[in-house]
């Protein structure tokens, strides 16, 4: 999930491919040992981060006087995540540098058995500082969904979490999801390599051809992977925004 104005929707597919590299990738061997944990696991959070997490959880599960969820889409997603058969680890790392503009990242541990399509573990990284400083403002003539528009603090964290939790759910409901994510990662790796080659005069032409060759596939894969997550994120944003407008 990207936020910075420098990586907004108007940017070229080249930039998109660079930044999508850090948003969704596979990993190995990060599951906790011993018994098999399931559902949302917050043991990697510091005391201060746990305070933030509790505000997120309170918001996600908030109900009105009649016991109805205040944010139905968020609540349904959060409740699903608590009941998964694999662990969903939550982390809140610091941004590595100014270029690290991913608000959230979804990592998955691939199953050992090839026939198994579900991940054995998922890690969601929420970069709260990146989320806090995301513009969330519509620029002149801009149409469509603008992440975090009109939201602050925990509302923004909830929106980012909804996006990443949707990826977690995709990894269960879409049997091809892990394969597609792997393919996108390898294409992203390739595109980064080509972009480096474009800096050199001798390899510029062939690198440009290489980038064009993978652009369409990358675009389709990104839409397949990110489309559902963006749709749920937008619906959660609507619910958070509607409540916020009501409270103001
Ligand atoms: Zn995403």
């Amino acid at each position: 999930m990207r936020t910075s104005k420098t990586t907004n929707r108007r940017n070229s597919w080249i930039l998109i491919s660079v930044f999508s590299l850090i948003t969704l990738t596979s990993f190995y061997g990060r599951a906790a040992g011993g018994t098999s944990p399931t559902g949302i696991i917050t043991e990697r959070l510091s005391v201060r981060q746990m305070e933030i997490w509790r505000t997120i959880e309170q918001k996600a599960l908030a109900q009105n006087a009649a016991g109805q969820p205040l944010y139905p889409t968020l609540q349904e997603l959060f409740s699903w995540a608590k009941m998964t058969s694999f662990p969903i680890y939550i982390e809140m790392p610091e941004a590595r540098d100014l270029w690290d503009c991913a608000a959230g990242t979804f990592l998955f541990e691939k199953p050992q058995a090839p026939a198994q399509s579900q991940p054995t573990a998922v890690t969601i990284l929420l970069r709260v500082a990146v989320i806090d400083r995301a513009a969330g403002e519509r620029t002149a003539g801009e149409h469509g969904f603008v992440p975090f528009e009109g939201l602050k603090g925990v509302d923004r964290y909830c929106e980012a979490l909804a996006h990443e939790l949707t990826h977690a759910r995709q990894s269960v409901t879409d049997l091809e999801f892990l394969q597609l994510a792997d393919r996108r990662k390898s294409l992203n790796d390739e595109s980064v390599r080509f972009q480096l080659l474009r800096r050199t005069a001798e390899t510029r032409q062939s690198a440009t051809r290489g980038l064009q060759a993978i652009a369409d596939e990358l675009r389709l894969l990104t839409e397949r992977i990110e489309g559902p997550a963006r749709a749920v994120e937008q619906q959660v944003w609507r619910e958070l925004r509607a409540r916020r407008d009501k409270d103001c």
Side-chain angles (χ1 to χ4, degrees), residues 91-189:
E91 296 184 15
M92 296 183 187
E94 300 295 324
R96 286 164 294 191
D97 50 48
L98 281 176
W99 292 98
D100 190 0
C101 62
T105 301
F106 171 82
L107 308 169
F108 59 86
E109 183 174 337
K110 294 169 78 168
Q112 298 293 326
Q116 193 185 335
S117 59
Q118 294 188 8
T120 49
V122 156
T123 297
I124 288 175
L125 311 182
L126 289 178
R127 295 183 180 82
V128 294
V130 174
I131 296 169
D132 284 339
R133 67 169 184 259
E137 290 170 6
R138 191 171 296 273
T139 53
E142 189 167 13
H143 302 288
F145 174 56
V146 177
F148 309 128
E149 186 180 14
L151 299 183
K152 287 181 182 167
V154 65
D155 284 2
R156 287 182 170 215
Y157 309 152
C158 285
E159 180 188 320
L161 177 67
H163 181 107
E164 305 309 331
L165 283 180
T166 304
H167 283 318
R169 187 152 63 179
Q170 283 173 280
S171 72
V172 176
T173 58
D174 184 343
L175 298 180
E176 293 177 327
F177 184 80
L178 299 185
Q179 269 183 322
L180 295 173
D182 262 355
R183 175 65 182 154
R184 185 170 77 152
K185 181 175 184 315
S186 68
L187 287 175
N188 273 320
D189 290 345

Side-chain angles (χ1 to χ4, degrees), residues 1-2 23-24 104 106 163-164 167 170 184 225-226 229-230:
M1 177 181 183
R2 290 166 291 107
T23 63
L24 193 153
F106 171 82
H163 181 107
E164 305 309 331
H167 283 318
Q170 283 173 280
R184 185 170 77 152
I225 290 168
E226 295 301 330
R230 273 202 302 266

